[in-house]
Structure formats: C-alpha cells, structure tokens
Amino acid sequence: MTGDSFDTVLAAARDGDEHAFARLWRELNPKVLRYLRTLAPAAASDLASETWLQVIRSLAGFSGDEPAFRGWVFTIARNKVIDAQRRDRRRPQTRADDAVLDALPSPDDTALLAMENLTTESALALIATLPRDQAEVIMLRVVAGLDVAAVAQIVGKSAGAVRVNAHRGLRRLQELVERAATAGVTR
C-alpha cells in the first residue's frame, strides 16, 4: 500500500472506516476480478461481490501482514468459486431441444453451419474455448445479433479487426464441430 502503512489501514477498516476499506478494495479488487475471470468468467463479478462481502464479515477475525491479507482474500475468492461450482452441479441442467432447432429455416450462413446440430450449451462451451477476442466478437455478432460497426464500437477495434476475429473464430468453431462429429462417428 502506498502512503499509510497496511496495519494502519487494516485497523481503520476493522473499526468501520469506509475510506480505509475502500483503499483495501481498490488495491485488490482488480486482481481478484482477473483471477475470478480465469476460473469462472460468467460469474466473476458476482463472485467478487460475494468475496468482498465475506471479507467484510470476517475482517475482525483476520490477523497478519499485507501478504497474508492478500492470500486470505484470494482464498476467500477461490472458495466462492468452488461453492458456485457445487451449486451449479446441484441444479438441473436444461438442454435445448434439437427438434425445435431442426425445424427452423437455415440460411447458408457460416455461423449457423458451424453451430449446426449443437445444443446451445455445447455451442457456448465451444465458443468459450476460443481466444477471448474471437469469442467476444462471435457472441456479439451471432448471439447478440449486432452488426460489425456496433461490435467494433463495443470492443474498441476497427470493423476490419472485428471481421477478421469473427472469420477466424467461426472457422475454428467449424473445425471443432467437424472434429467432434468425426470422433462421434468413429466411436
């Protein structure tokens, strides 16, 4: 921490000083969010909120220096991820009905060809395996239905870069789908 010593800031936060707690939060929250985004991208913000609520509840019981505090906060974050994964496993998973998808008209579109015969869950799981730029562009273009200009503005890239990322991502998705179909036939 810059300025005041960690011990001073921690003691003030324990005593209810909102500004002191805000300093702790500002110092660690970006790192906590990045960590959570690698473990649970879809729930990172919610899990970060749960983490900080737990920190607030348990702050009086913490003892240690700044490195110990960082480790403690990240341990709480990791436990929140594990708890969320356990909750998700207990919830019944719903699957898209392929018969409904088969009845829909299918224009000759690269995105639809790449995702043909896939459930929504498996398509999203495949998209999640792509590099982040490609996955984000595909989600915004195909799933959200936004045009290239809107996606370019959202992601802060040129329209050409959006088109390239979409093309590369869709080509990779098509390869993954073909590989999965081939593996299914040979089993």
Side-chain angles (χ1 to χ4, degrees), residues 114-130:
M115 290 193 262
E116 190 176 324
N117 296 323
L118 291 176
T119 65
T120 300
E121 287 178 6
S122 58
L124 292 175
L126 280 177
I127 291 170
T129 66
L130 296 174

Side-chain angles (χ1 to χ4, degrees), residues 110 130 133-134 137-138 141-142 148 160-173:
T110 307
L130 296 174
D133 288 349
Q134 293 174 9
V137 166
I138 288 172
R141 288 280 292 132
V142 177
V148 171
V162 167
R163 285 187 195 95
V164 168
N165 278 330
H167 175 75
R168 288 178 179 163
L170 290 171
R171 188 176 62 215
R172 177 72 179 137
L173 280 176

Side-chain angles (χ1 to χ4, degrees), residues 2 19 21-22 29 32 46 61 79 133 140 153 159 168 179:
T2 57
H19 295 291
F21 186 81
N29 192 56
V32 169
D46 291 338
N79 290 337
D133 288 349
L140 292 170
Q153 185 175 6
R168 288 178 179 163
R179 191 175 308 145

Side-chain angles (χ1 to χ4, degrees), residues 30-95:
K31 296 169 186 163
V32 169
L33 270 172
R34 283 192 295 271
Y35 172 73
L36 291 170
R37 283 187 183 123
T38 62
L39 298 179
S45 294
D46 291 338
L47 293 172
S49 296
E50 290 178 27
T51 298
W52 287 104
L53 286 173
Q54 184 66 44
V55 168
I56 291 168
R57 283 188 218 112
S58 305
L59 192 57
F62 172 77
S63 63
D65 58 4
E66 187 173 357
F69 181 75
R70 288 175 184 268
W72 181 66
V73 171
F74 279 91
T75 299
I76 292 171
R78 185 173 191 279
N79 290 337
K80 293 299 177 184
V81 170
I82 292 168
D83 292 345
Q85 290 169 339
R86 286 179 185 147
R87 276 192 310 269
D88 290 346
R89 281 194 297 266
R90 287 192 301 257
R91 289 184 187 145
Q93 298 292 319
T94 57
R95 302 221 178 253

Side-chain angles (χ1 to χ4, degrees), residues 1 4-25 56 59-60 62 69:
M1 304 212 87
D4 297 333
S5 75
F6 172 77
D7 293 333
T8 304
V9 174
L10 180 63
R14 278 189 184 133
D15 290 337
D17 183 337
E18 292 179 24
H19 295 291
F21 186 81
R23 286 192 62 192
L24 295 172
W25 181 84
I56 291 168
L59 192 57
F62 172 77
F69 181 75

